Amino acid sequence: MTLRTTACPRNCYSTCTMTVEIVDGALRRVLPHPGNRATAHGPCLKGLSYVERVASPERILHPLRRAENGSFRRISWDEALDEIAARLRETRARYGPQSVLYYAASGTKGLLNAVGPAFWRLFGGYSGTYGDLCWPAGLEATRLTLGDNAHNAPWDLAHARLIVFWGKNPAETNIHQMPFVHEALDAGGRMVVIDPRRTETAERAELLVQPRPGTDGALAMAAAHVLFRDGLVDERFAEAHVLGHAAYRERVAACTPEWAERVTGVPARYVERLARMIGTERPVTICAGFGMQRYTNSGQTLRAVLALLALTGNIGRPGAGWIFANLQSAVFDAVKDPLAFYPPEEPDGVARISISTARLGRDMLATDGPPLKVAWVERGNPLAQNPETPTVVEAFRRLDFRVVVEQFLTDTARAADIVLPAKSMFEQSDVIGAYWHPYIQLKQKVLDPPGEVKPESEIYRLLAARLELPADAVDAVIPGPGDAEVEAWLEARLAPFPELSLERLREGPVLAPGCREIAFDDLVFPTPSGRIELFSEEAARRWGVDPLPDWTVPVEATGAVDVSDAAASSRSEAARSGAAASGEAPADEASSGRSDAASSGGGRALAEVVYAAYPLHLLTPNTKNRIHSQFHNLAMIRAQDPGPVLHIGPADARARGIADGNRVRVFNGRGALEVACRIDFGIREGCVSLTNGWWATDGAAVNVLSAGRETDMGHGAAFHENRVEVRPVEAEGVEVEGTEVALDGVRRAEAPRA
Amino acid sequence: MTVAGADRGFLLDVGRCTGCAACTLACSTENALGWGRSWRQIVTFNEERLPGVPAFHLSLACNHCNEAPCVPQCPARAISRDPDTGAVLIDGDTCIGCRYCAWVCPYDAPLFDEAASVMTKCTACHHRLTEGLPPACVEACPTDALRYGALEGAARVTGFPDTPAEPRIRFLGVDRVDSPPESTWRAFEGTWRADVSAGAHPAGSRPNPTISLRSEIPLWLFTSAAAALVGWVLAAAVGTVALHPGPFIALAAGALAVSTLHLGRKLRAWRAVTNVRRSRLSREVAGFGAFLTLATLAALWPGASGSVAQGAAAWHGTAHALLVAAGAAGLVALFFVDRVYDPVCPRRRLGLHSADAILTGPAFAAVLQGTGAVYAAFSTLKAVLYVHRHGPTGPRGGWWLGVLRVAALALPAPLWWLAPGAGSGWAYAAIGLFAAGELLDRAEFYEELRVRTPADEARRVLALRRAIKNPVDG
């Protein structure tokens, strides 16, 4: 038995340090590691389920070739690599290297992920994606406002007197934040949760604000209105450190709580109460979730929320601040997120980064000169997780050849011609950062790969040899096959930082060089003005949005948003075209670097009435039981979460003749799925909820319903803006298909102007 | 007597527990229970998020109760308390796999291990406790909500079964879960009562241990046969019914053999009588054993031979004394049979169920003998209990089941009038009809049995809270 230190590389806030017990070359136990102050109590259930995940009988242990009938048969590495190399040569010769799509997602983190793009550059080039499914709108909103994505150390939350979880449910998605929440509450702190659902986190709050999805910006602007009106703005702080606070006072002058009540559905007295809590408690921390910034208006929404902290001086102090993303450990990145998500302003002719992640299917289909012929997918499951699944499936179907590197037969792997077995996190060392705590960690190799599994670095080397790529060029970017070579490669990356070495990292996590426990405690903000920018010229220049935080009606506005009132003094008609739906615009939008939400053309202004056929807003939150589409195929996780369930409120259920436990059909103009439903008395009327990450094989891959469109800034995916209708399956006699209308643009309205 | 380690146990901070289930996975791995199986479970109170009612979780396993009902009730004396840690442990080498501990535990702690065919349950990781380590579930808790140590804090929390077992668990942070957040969304007020009636939400993270006819066919057959055997001996002892040794012994042996089918470890069946002093199940087995011994002796006694066919009137001396003693022992055994089901039978009235063996045995004797008055008394009692139990809605299977059941009780009497005298075809028809009705009722009895669990308790309390909070009902 040996105990080793490693770290979980999933796309998750917590990025836990773990002690693992290895017995006879197998993972026996996953244990807490006290060296990480943020995750000292130990990993969540997913971390504990690694004992099954690495040894699961469903794991892919050798290359697979798909047959005509969709089944897979085992093939040797030689067969697999020979066929892949032959296909790549042929495609490159015929269409050029950019006819190969290299698609990698967030399945696992690590510096070695860089070998993928490096290989494809040596291959001669490739096509790639820009943007990201996760968080760009919020990152960009934060960058524009504060200059950088950094926040206080996780444990500092214990010092907050008021914690506002704005669209975040850490009890499920960041459980290691909860001990600090409990500490703050034990010390007399207060807590508000803003979420259409009554989440696990909300049970600890004194107030649960349940706005209509997509209206959080209006809520924040009305709260700012109250702060100004009641003299709760920290004038001295604002004067010294905030650019544009006076202009913002004008902007929100007409955004009264009564206006917000009509827009958000939150009674005015609660808007007042929320604002007064933020304005009178010191210090205040707002933790903003990622789900809220997957809307077409979400960059501006997050700027409006962040403004509340700027106005009350809750930045740069213990217990105060904006917890969205802490990229202080991203010390290895040449270009830091979110800038790394943007397509290059000047294409280099080798890598064609022209496909929006948010519109993956449509953009793939529209790509020409050369068109896409081959796809290589690693660390991702785009056929379940990217918006508008039907178009993604179609785009992959149209390709000549698909290779997927995977641990399990996911929806994407099932569509592959060749599936190559992927390593698990325990089978190759790598160095990882985090986005919540500021530690650099070594994800140590503690097991040998089982079966015929090879790490990607080795797969690329073998492929490079078959493609006769120059050996010295390969050696320069891809580590050699042995553990020693991998470690040497990692050491070279650590070399610029005297604080970091594999030696030290082997013992446990190390705080990132130069990280600050209290972000912006020097009140120096790396913005153009050096101040917190409520007024951002860059926002207007880069994204075409108002330079001040603002709220606009989301494209798929929910329920009874009173558009006529909201638009009372709209600055322009701002009707937008249904670019995404008509499938024309993506290519030039991409090259111009502007998001589609911002590109308001003169196209048809579709009235709100379009969405009357789909009156429910589908929330697709994450659950404690998965990281996106990972983990739920394990028996340990299935025991907690046996199958997909749609949550629906009692009034919405009754209106549709739906009883608890019924099977229901969830549909819109884009797709449909069938699931069991559960009456949930805590969910806001007009909203239904189905966790994302189920596979098509579970019957509930939610993105068959979502739209491929970008957020207003950052090239994020606005796929949480998703309207549907729900019917009991038994009542299928109702002519459902007939009511389905295409979902595309709708006229935009803004917050009222004084 | 002080209980070892009585001052130590699990501490659950219900204000900190998020129901994340890490504890259940850690338990699974530590104790090699197989992926997806755990001795620990999460019970969620108010999963459906009823307005005005808080929602929280209980992470529960064995509470190693000071007055643990499983210890005295184990018929094989396989459950004992570890003298050092106070942990209540099941000895897998002694356990016969009868599952009775799961029936008597109010906390749904014992689990049947399919591979080993014995019961298992949380050991409080006593192998770790003795090394000074906390239980695996405690070590794994990401929010530090679950601890193990000196008992302090509240003994009760909403939804946790209140029993006299003195569970060694305490709840912290109870005041954190006494009120839900104030929500800005209240459109459902006054309307939700009607909707909730349908909502039977799973409150536990694992399925309830159910008792059903399908899972208890051996017990169904055994208890039915026991009542019939006792009835036969009673009819022979006080009436004129013959007791043929061959068929009697064959039926008795069959009943015993069938009863062992219910055990995980059939070859250890003999251990079931090792705890007569305390275990209901042991008493049942011992009582039935004594009855069979006496009845078999009586049937084979030399004085009885040759005259058995004439019934009790022809019996003499020791043989008859043995027969009467067997009948008495049989009634005691049937009483013990019924007591076994006390912890899991929720539908008795005045302590009686229409399918109770103590009623079926004498009624069967009356049918065999054709004693109208006795039969009328027992069958009327059974019919009243049956009808009262089901009420106007009738049995779940359909109204015709109820008609069939009552007819099977009522019709044997007219059949005797049609053809008085034992041995006639009509008499056999009466016996067959009665037996069919009893098998039907006993089958329903098993379908009604229910192991009460913390998840049930959470649901029950929530149902009460619904009623109180309902503005329409006032």
Side-chain angles (χ1 to χ4, degrees):
Chain A
M1 182 199 92
T2 44
L3 293 176
R4 306 281 296 277
T5 297
T6 190
C8 180
R10 300 278 86 84
N11 180 358
C12 169
Y13 288 102
S14 297
T15 318
C16 294
T17 314
M18 314 191 299
T19 304
V20 290
E21 185 182 317
I22 307 296
V23 179
D24 299 332
L27 181 63
R28 172 73 182 93
R29 244 185 287 239
V30 177
L31 301 163
H33 190 293
N36 186 328
R37 211 174 146 187
T39 66
H41 291 300
C44 72
L45 78 163
K46 302 176 286 291
L48 296 171
S49 76
Y50 280 124
V51 291
E52 178 181 354
R53 183 163 162 172
V54 289
S56 167
E58 290 173 26
R59 194 165 161 202
I60 301 167
L61 298 179
H62 39 70
L64 297 172
R65 182 75 177 81
R66 187 163 54 96
E68 282 293 314
N69 64 6
S71 68
F72 286 90
R73 72 182 162 84
R74 177 177 180 170
I75 55 173
S76 70
W77 272 104
D78 281 338
E79 282 176 89
L81 293 169
D82 286 346
E83 182 176 358
I84 294 168
R87 291 288 203 140
L88 287 174
R89 279 173 189 281
E90 182 192 319
T91 307
R92 182 174 58 185
R94 195 149 161 218
Y95 300 100
Q98 291 181 346
S99 63
V100 176
L101 171 71
Y102 167 67
Y103 185 87
S106 67
T108 193
K109 291 184 288 194
L111 300 183
L112 279 165
N113 287 347
V115 304
F119 168 85
W120 293 106
R121 282 185 167 273
L122 292 179
F123 172 70
Y126 66 100
S127 286
T129 54
Y130 65 88
D132 185 67
L133 295 180
C134 187
W135 56 345
L139 290 180
E140 180 65 355
T142 307
R143 187 187 72 85
L144 291 171
T145 309
L146 300 177
D148 192 15
N149 279 279
H151 66 61
N152 296 4
W155 43 90
D156 175 65
L157 189 64
H159 301 130
R161 289 291 302 178
L162 173 65
I163 304 173
V164 180
F165 283 108
W166 205 313
K168 182 176 180 182
N169 179 20
E172 294 214 49
T173 59
N174 186 191
I175 193 167
H176 302 90
Q177 193 170 35
M178 295 309 288
F180 307 122
V181 171
H182 296 141
E183 243 182 277
L185 294 176
D186 284 345
R190 306 172 71 187
M191 178 169 155
V192 176
V193 167
I194 303 176
D195 201 307
R197 300 183 300 147
R198 182 173 157 192
T199 59
E200 180 62 35
T201 307
E203 288 306 308
R204 286 138 182 86
E206 65 183 86
L207 179 64
L208 169 61
V209 179
Q210 298 189 273
R212 293 190 180 99
T215 66
D216 300 78
L219 184 65
M221 290 173 79
H225 171 97
V226 175
L227 293 177
F228 283 117
R229 186 197 68 195
D230 293 357
L232 296 172
V233 170
D234 184 339
E235 295 289 352
R236 194 183 301 171
F237 182 89
E239 201 56 51
H241 305 293
V242 181
L243 181 72
H245 63 100
Y248 193 54
R249 177 194 290 265
E250 297 306 309
R251 164 59 47 85
V252 299
C255 298
T256 61
E258 290 70 28
W259 166 77
E261 174 170 341
R262 288 193 295 279
V263 173
T264 66
V266 175
R269 66 181 190 282
Y270 285 113
V271 179
E272 301 255 3
R273 186 162 141 197
L274 172 69
R276 272 199 305 277
M277 285 172 81
I278 293 172
T280 55
E281 292 291 349
R282 284 286 183 283
V284 180
T285 296
I286 296 181
C287 305
F290 297 158
M292 167 175 66
Q293 49 93 60
R294 293 171 188 153
Y295 288 78
T296 49
N297 63 2
S298 56
Q300 285 290 67
T301 292
L302 263 71
R303 290 182 70 213
V305 176
L306 187 40
L308 298 174
L309 295 171
L311 294 173
T312 53
N314 277 300
I315 298 279
R317 295 174 180 172
W322 172 247
I323 302 218
F324 180 77
N326 196 9
L327 299 185
Q328 299 196 64
S329 61
V331 293
F332 305 103
D333 301 0
V335 183
K336 210 168 169 182
D337 290 348
L339 296 176
F341 292 140
Y342 305 158
E345 281 167 23
E346 308 248 332
D348 60 12
V350 180
R352 176 176 66 173
I353 308 300
S354 62
I355 293 162
S356 169
T357 307
R359 291 186 305 256
L360 181 66
R362 285 180 184 280
D363 283 9
M364 279 177 71
L365 290 167
T367 296
D368 207 353
L372 298 177
K373 293 294 173 185
V374 172
W376 178 286
V377 179
E378 58 189 36
R379 308 191 300 278
N381 185 11
L383 267 63
Q385 291 304 106
N386 287 55
E388 229 172 272
T389 303
T391 63
V392 181
V393 170
E394 176 60 19
F396 273 79
R397 190 180 292 143
R398 291 229 194 134
L399 299 170
D400 292 342
F401 190 61
R402 295 140 286 244
V403 180
V404 174
V405 188
E406 251 303 350
Q407 291 177 12
F408 295 98
L409 274 181
T410 61
D411 292 344
T412 305
R414 280 173 198 279
D417 297 282
I418 289 184
V419 182
L420 300 177
K423 67 177 190 281
S424 80
M425 60 170 275
F426 303 101
E427 291 149 17
Q428 186 180 41
S429 291
D430 207 339
V431 170
I432 58 175
Y435 54 79
W436 173 57
H437 59 63
Y439 289 108
I440 308 281
Q441 306 190 68
L442 178 65
K443 174 186 78 74
Q444 249 188 123
K445 176 180 174 179
V446 294
L447 299 173
D448 286 323
E452 296 180 2
V453 172
K454 295 182 194 299
E456 289 85 339
S457 55
E458 212 175 317
I459 297 175
Y460 281 126
R461 288 192 79 89
L462 294 168
L463 203 50
R466 277 173 169 74
L467 291 166
E468 290 160 2
L469 303 182
D472 49 341
V474 171
D475 288 340
V477 291
I478 305 178
D483 295 346
E485 279 100 332
V486 170
E487 292 196 352
W489 190 93
L490 292 173
E491 284 283 16
R493 268 75 200 160
L494 298 176
F497 308 97
E499 303 92 327
L500 302 175
S501 68
L502 288 184
E503 195 62 38
R504 262 194 84 180
L505 289 171
R506 252 187 262 282
E507 301 308 313
V510 177
L511 286 172
C515 83
R516 301 176 100 94
E517 184 151 328
I518 305 300
F520 307 111
D521 56 350
D522 52 3
L523 297 176
V524 170
F525 300 95
T527 56
S529 65
R531 290 191 278 173
I532 299 172
E533 295 202 347
L534 294 191
F535 184 91
S536 167
E537 278 180 2
E538 189 182 353
R541 193 176 66 242
R542 196 184 270 269
W543 306 108
V545 298
D546 196 287
L548 285 169
D550 199 8
W551 178 78
T552 50
V553 174
V555 172
E556 296 193 21
T558 301
V561 174
D562 192 339
V563 179
S564 59
D565 184 81
S569 55
S570 66
R571 103 201 118 200
S572 67
E573 68 2 279
R576 63 178 293 278
S577 71
S582 62
E584 304 155 10
D588 21 348
E589 256 180 44
S591 54
S592 76
R594 292 179 51 153
S595 80
D596 60 358
S599 66
S600 54
R604 51 205 162 117
L606 291 180
E608 169 86 341
V609 74
V610 170
Y611 296 104
Y614 307 112
L616 298 173
H617 190 107
L618 176 64
L619 302 164
T620 52
N622 283 325
T623 147
K624 69 181 170 68
N625 300 315
R626 297 190 289 280
I627 295 290
H628 302 125
S629 68
Q630 299 186 68
F631 289 102
H632 76 287
N633 55 327
L634 307 178
M636 281 180 144
I637 302 297
R638 287 269 165 179
Q640 314 302 324
D641 197 0
V645 175
L646 181 87
H647 286 241
I648 185 169
D652 287 322
R654 188 171 40 198
R656 290 164 178 77
I658 293 169
D660 194 67
N662 279 175
R663 278 195 79 74
V664 294
R665 179 177 149 86
V666 188
F667 61 96
N668 60 19
R670 296 181 281 265
L673 49 82
E674 258 184 45
V675 281
C677 84
R678 176 176 295 173
I679 308 290
D680 183 336
F681 293 85
I683 195 167
R684 181 183 220 295
E685 190 174 334
C687 299
V688 291
S689 171
L690 176 60
T691 56
N692 81 76
W694 296 106
W695 297 357
T697 45
D698 303 301
V702 295
N703 285 306
V704 300
L705 296 161
S706 66
R709 27 172 120 82
E710 289 193 1
T711 49
D712 56 353
M713 57 181 72
H715 301 298
F719 56 163
H720 283 200
E721 208 170 295
N722 194 355
R723 285 171 58 141
V724 299
E725 178 56 295
V726 176
R727 292 269 178 249
V729 169
E730 297 88 279
E732 262 312 273
V734 177
E735 189 43 46
V736 162
E737 301 296 336
T739 66
E740 294 189 9
V741 289
L743 291 181
D744 23 45
V746 71
R747 73 192 164 121
R748 283 157 65 91
E750 301 83 30
R753 301 285 185 270
Chain B
M1 182 187 93
T2 51
V3 176
D7 58 337
R8 297 177 74 74
F10 287 110
L11 303 164
L12 177 69
D13 189 325
V14 289
R16 288 173 180 255
C17 177
T18 64
C20 80
C23 49
T24 72
L25 270 72
C27 170
S28 178
T29 304
E30 174 72 28
N31 298 294
L33 302 179
W35 299 329
R37 284 171 52 85
S38 178
W39 287 331
R40 185 163 280 280
Q41 63 175 322
I42 306 294
V43 173
T44 300
F45 183 75
N46 194 13
E47 171 82 44
E48 51 267 68
R49 298 294 195 263
L50 287 184
V53 182
F56 58 90
H57 312 273
L58 302 177
S59 166
L60 297 175
C62 176
N63 296 315
H64 305 278
C65 310
N66 290 334
E67 298 294 331
C70 58
V71 175
Q73 289 303 335
C74 174
R77 290 202 289 186
I79 309 181
S80 60
R81 187 178 301 280
D82 179 72
D84 298 326
T85 59
V88 173
L89 304 173
I90 298 177
D91 178 7
D93 295 331
T94 313
C95 173
I96 60 175
C98 73
R99 298 176 172 84
Y100 196 54
C101 49
W103 289 19
V104 300
C105 174
Y107 305 110
D108 191 18
L111 269 187
F112 188 70
D113 177 345
E114 301 286 346
S117 295
V118 294
M119 297 303 289
T120 60
K121 67 164 193 64
C122 161
T123 62
C125 283
H126 106 290
H127 60 288
R128 290 171 58 95
L129 289 181
T130 51
E131 289 175 21
L133 297 169
C137 52
V138 168
E139 183 181 56
C141 179
T143 60
D144 199 22
L146 188 62
R147 293 164 224 168
Y148 191 89
L151 292 177
E152 48 153 352
R156 289 178 195 158
V157 69
T158 310
F160 182 70
D162 189 12
T163 79
E166 292 182 30
R168 290 197 290 153
I169 183 171
R170 293 294 180 273
F171 302 99
L172 309 171
V174 171
D175 54 332
R176 280 274 159 73
V177 296
D178 58 7
S179 62
E182 182 175 353
S183 166
T184 62
W185 177 248
R186 309 178 145 256
F188 37 65
E189 266 187 11
T191 67
W192 50 268
R193 179 70 174 87
D195 299 287
V196 80
S197 53
H201 291 264
S205 63
R206 72 170 182 227
N208 261 22
T210 49
I211 311 177
S212 66
L213 176 63
R214 186 187 284 269
S215 65
E216 306 298 349
I217 282 177
L219 292 182
W220 173 58
L221 293 175
F222 167 74
T223 55
S224 299
L229 288 165
V230 172
W232 190 357
V233 167
L234 285 173
V238 300
T240 57
V241 173
L243 188 67
H244 307 288
F248 181 84
I249 291 168
L251 185 57
L256 281 178
V258 163
S259 74
T260 64
L261 291 180
H262 150 85
L263 301 179
R265 292 299 193 104
K266 293 156 190 68
L267 295 179
R268 296 180 189 167
W270 62 272
R271 286 193 198 269
V273 292
T274 57
N275 198 11
V276 173
R277 207 163 56 83
R278 298 193 295 172
S279 169
R280 294 189 198 94
L281 190 60
S282 270
R283 285 179 204 150
E284 176 196 37
V285 179
F288 190 64
F291 157 72
L292 282 187
T293 309
L294 287 168
T296 307
L297 272 177
L300 297 176
W301 200 262
S305 79
S307 55
V308 170
Q310 281 77 50
W315 291 52
H316 300 291
T318 314
H320 189 235
L322 280 169
L323 199 60
V324 171
L331 286 174
V332 172
L334 294 186
F335 175 77
F336 287 147
V337 167
D338 292 336
R339 296 290 72 72
V340 165
Y341 296 90
D342 282 348
V344 289
C345 183
R347 306 190 69 183
R348 284 202 170 106
R349 296 286 182 276
L350 304 171
L352 285 173
H353 188 285
S354 66
D356 271 352
I358 196 71
L359 301 181
T360 309
F364 190 61
V367 172
L368 288 178
Q369 185 64 38
T371 315
V374 176
Y375 184 74
F378 277 94
S379 61
T380 307
L381 181 55
K382 272 175 165 282
V384 167
L385 287 167
Y386 182 85
V387 171
H388 184 255
R389 185 168 88 248
H390 285 304
T393 52
R396 230 178 15 176
W399 60 269
W400 55 273
L401 269 177
V403 171
L404 218 61
R405 168 73 190 121
V406 175
L409 280 172
L411 289 180
L415 285 176
W416 299 319
W417 279 321
L418 281 173
S424 75
W426 290 110
Y428 284 120
I431 293 167
L433 194 60
F434 175 81
E438 291 314 306
L439 283 170
L440 185 69
D441 202 15
R442 191 72 188 174
E444 261 183 35
F445 173 84
Y446 280 99
E447 284 289 305
E448 289 164 11
L449 297 182
R450 189 156 177 87
V451 177
R452 268 173 289 178
T453 65
D456 289 339
E457 175 65 6
R459 268 191 292 268
R460 189 186 67 80
V461 175
L462 188 64
L464 291 177
R465 299 286 289 269
R466 280 171 185 163
I468 293 165
K469 289 281 177 182
N470 172 26
V472 181
D473 283 3

